[in-house]
Amino acid sequence: MATVKRTPKVVIIGAGVAGITTAVTLQKAGFHDFLVLEKGGDVGGVWYWNHYPGLTCDVPSSLYQFSFAPNPDWSHIFAPGSEIQRYMSDVADKFNLRAHTRFDAEVVAANYTESGWHVTTADGTEYNADFVIAATGVLHHPSMPDIEGLESFEGDVVHTARWDDSLNTRGRRIAVIGTGSTGVQVVSALQREAARITHFVRTAQWVVWAPTGMPQLPLTGAVLRRLPRVNRAVYDTLLWGSGFLADITTKPTWRRRAVQGAVRASLRVQVRDRELREQLTPDYEPFCKRQVVSGSYYRAIRASNAELVNSKIERITPTGIVTADGRHHDVDLLIFATGFKAHNYMRPMNLRGRDGLSIDDAWDKGPRAYCMSAIPGFPNFFTVLGPNSPTASISLQYSSEVTARYIARWLERFRDGEISTVEVTEEATTRFNDGVADALGPTVWNTGCNSWYLTEGGTVDLWPYDRATLTRMLSKPDDRDYHLT
Ligand code: NAP
């Protein structure tokens, strides 16, 4: 007797890089009954939420794109954030994703019962689904330090990830707290117009020089648009070239040491002032933290209206910041570039799997998933760019696409009536995570620095393998690793 085909009903949570990729991949695989629930007012994820001055993607734009939406037209080699957001929006239009998306729809709960998934948004609407895919991203919840006296500050206060576009920055005394990729970009952007800019640096960062302000060569876009195969070859070459980053970050070879030597030399060449150079010199290896890339930061921080302060912040006063050396720094605008709670993933959502298991209980020792995408106790639930997603060395778009195709294989089997539920086993997840822990041993991220890559338990929440391994691991689901009904 022929099997009756079923149409899986899918809820995708989030319309950023991972959500867009998932939606398009499902469409291409013939699945159209999906709904994207997005907390923000538009697609884009980090590119929707972040619009601070100086926001530029520090990955070349030709690489920072979806394989299914090649775009040769970038104004710069490293495109500004607004341009990337426009690209994401164009992709959503091109693939008609808005018709499948509810905006301003924050998911507050998702519960699994025998009848499937029940997803609730903040306005109380409930959606039912056979599968839920969390594409909720890593860098979403801003981390705001609790510094004594902050509430007494009389000037403006802003976190970069929730930038207020009406803020005046020109001619003001600006303090920037935090020296990750964001802090470095903000200081570079605001220094010229500020009356004074003070960069509060708790831990110095290595900064790799790159032509981050360089325009794309004239006619490049026009030529590549006429030659899609060449455009594809450029993308493939860059993808392949990014393997070098995976190599130096995961293997302690002479290649890693050579690149680290170049980063150290770059600081010596660009900053001749010995005292400032000492302040800028980290006490850990280059690439241990998420590498900061900038072609303008050292110039900005050397300027006469700029100052780098290493002394610990003691407290905030109505008019500025007091540091441990007793100085009071007068400030009108206080900018927190203090990063994100990177290991929250879909939380604080009340996510409950089989038998009411909550994600907080499942992850009481930290986030874990099988191949970044499946969690024991959570049937018919997957993550895209979930735990251990390769934020350090492999294109996020690439790994999202590979993961989404992997999930589509399960949807095909559901459609064909082969399975009704799929849930990864505890054994497979433990085996995968043990392998990851071993592989993380020799990585540069494990060489003794503090970074957002580390979970509260001190483990590195990254992908420690190369792209080929990622592709292989996610090429075809292995039934032995799953409970199927
Ligand atoms: P981050 O890398 O986590 O840096 C946060 C900074 O805030 C660190 O310098 C940290 O110091 C400092 N900080 C935190 N709490 C503090 C406190 N209480 N007092 C003083 N300093 C404090 O965050 P981010 O710069 O926003 O970057 C996060 C990630 O976003 C990046 O690594 C990158 O992956 C992504 N990003 C990408 C781009 C791009 O162009 N593609 C741009 C921006 C961001 P410690 O080091 O001492 O903890």
Side-chain angles (χ1 to χ4, degrees):
M1 199 173 72
T3 330
V4 180
K5 297 241 176 193
R6 294 176 293 183
T7 303
K9 215 175 167 59
V10 183
V11 162
I12 300 168
I13 308 174
V17 166
I20 290 177
T21 305
T22 305
V24 173
T25 305
L26 295 197
Q27 270 184 355
K28 284 179 177 287
F31 300 105
H32 300 280
D33 191 358
F34 64 87
L35 181 67
V36 183
L37 297 175
E38 166 56 50
K39 176 178 167 184
D42 199 357
V43 300
V46 287
W47 301 103
Y48 166 80
W49 292 100
N50 285 270
H51 38 96
Y52 57 81
L55 174 62
T56 306
C57 186
D58 59 12
V59 176
S61 310
S62 305
L63 186 59
Y64 200 86
Q65 50 180 317
F66 305 105
S67 71
F68 50 78
N71 176 33
D73 293 306
W74 297 101
S75 67
H76 289 73
I77 307 284
F78 298 86
S82 55
E83 206 174 319
I84 296 171
Q85 173 59 6
R86 224 170 22 250
Y87 165 69
M88 305 276 271
S89 176
D90 290 348
V91 172
D93 289 338
K94 181 175 176 190
F95 291 92
N96 195 28
L97 296 188
R98 289 178 205 281
H100 287 266
T101 307
R102 301 277 176 284
F103 293 105
D104 302 309
E106 180 181 4
V107 174
V108 291
N111 287 300
Y112 179 77
T113 68
E114 278 185 2
S115 60
W117 280 97
H118 310 281
V119 179
T120 313
T121 48
D123 65 0
T125 311
E126 189 173 298
Y127 302 88
N128 298 324
D130 299 307
F131 288 84
V132 170
I133 302 174
T136 44
V138 184
L139 303 170
H140 177 62
H141 299 284
S143 171
M144 189 75 174
D146 183 16
I147 303 176
E148 185 192 329
L150 175 58
E151 66 298 335
S152 73
F153 184 65
E154 288 169 356
D156 293 315
V157 180
V158 67
H159 189 288
T160 48
R162 297 293 178 268
W163 190 263
D164 173 357
D165 291 324
S166 68
L167 267 182
N168 173 32
T169 53
R170 186 186 290 260
R172 301 185 80 186
R173 295 168 303 177
I174 301 174
V176 178
I177 301 178
T179 186
S181 307
T182 307
V184 160
Q185 290 186 343
V186 173
V187 169
S188 304
L190 297 184
Q191 170 268 321
R192 282 184 206 271
E193 293 185 346
R196 179 141 203 89
I197 193 157
T198 313
H199 196 187
F200 291 86
V201 172
R202 183 168 69 179
T203 313
Q205 287 259 16
W206 292 107
V207 179
V208 164
W209 184 89
T212 44
M214 191 171 156
Q216 182 167 286
L217 286 174
L219 298 180
T220 306
V223 171
L224 290 179
R225 217 171 329 110
R226 279 169 185 259
L227 303 170
R229 283 201 188 164
V230 177
N231 192 32
R232 177 72 207 200
V234 170
Y235 173 76
D236 287 342
T237 307
L238 283 167
L239 208 55
W240 174 81
S242 70
F244 182 65
L245 188 56
D247 175 59
I248 62 164
T249 48
T250 57
K251 300 189 192 100
T253 61
W254 65 269
R255 294 181 294 282
R256 180 192 293 174
R257 288 191 295 280
V259 175
Q260 288 177 326
V263 175
R264 291 189 168 96
S266 163
L267 171 59
R268 278 196 300 276
V269 170
Q270 291 185 75
V271 182
R272 307 303 297 173
D273 177 324
R274 182 186 290 259
E275 196 183 328
L276 178 60
R277 195 164 67 229
E278 274 171 15
Q279 282 185 299
L280 285 165
T281 305
D283 59 2
Y284 55 86
E285 297 186 23
F287 294 93
C288 182
K289 284 173 178 272
R290 162 46 159 91
Q291 187 55 53
V292 176
V293 180
S294 173
S296 51
Y297 175 69
Y298 287 148
R299 174 201 53 73
I301 202 65
R302 284 195 320 255
S304 56
N305 67 340
E307 184 183 3
L308 189 152
V309 173
N310 284 127
S311 186
K312 184 172 179 289
I313 295 173
E314 289 275 282
R315 66 196 152 83
I316 294 174
T317 70
T319 54
I321 295 178
V322 177
T323 42
D325 54 8
R327 281 179 70 195
H328 184 275
H329 306 265
D330 295 335
V331 172
D332 313 310
L333 169 59
L334 184 47
I335 300 175
F336 283 88
T338 42
F340 300 87
K341 296 172 186 152
H343 310 286
N344 276 20
Y345 294 100
M346 46 280 197
R347 295 172 290 181
M349 180 195 308
N350 181 4
L351 173 63
R352 289 182 183 273
R354 189 169 37 78
D355 305 325
L357 175 68
S358 78
I359 192 67
D360 289 334
D361 287 341
W363 282 0
D364 63 345
K365 294 192 180 66
R368 65 197 277 273
Y370 169 81
C371 284
M372 307 180 288
S373 65
I375 306 167
F378 293 80
N380 293 11
F381 180 92
F382 293 96
T383 53
V384 177
L385 296 187
N388 295 110
S389 54
T391 41
S393 58
I394 302 174
S395 150
L396 293 177
Q397 288 78 358
Y398 180 85
S399 51
S400 300
E401 287 179 44
V402 172
T403 310
R405 281 201 291 272
Y406 178 85
I407 296 167
R409 306 286 287 258
W410 288 117
L411 298 188
E412 281 161 12
R413 293 177 68 181
F414 180 93
R415 179 194 58 199
D416 297 345
E418 285 178 30
I419 61 160
S420 289
T421 66
V422 47
E423 178 190 335
V424 72
T425 65
E426 183 59 48
E427 297 71 38
T429 309
T430 301
R431 181 171 16 91
F432 172 78
N433 278 280
D434 288 349
V436 164
D438 283 349
L440 280 165
T443 65
V444 72
W445 313 305
N446 199 22
T447 53
C449 65
N450 184 25
S451 78
W452 67 259
Y453 291 163
L454 300 181
T455 65
E456 277 178 16
T459 55
V460 180
D461 187 7
L462 284 180
W463 182 257
Y465 308 113
D466 60 12
R467 196 165 58 89
T469 309
L470 175 121
T471 312
R472 182 171 47 72
M473 281 188 178
L474 288 164
S475 62
K476 189 173 180 300
D478 185 336
D479 282 6
R480 290 169 301 182
D481 293 338
Y482 288 88
H483 300 295
L484 304 174
T485 66

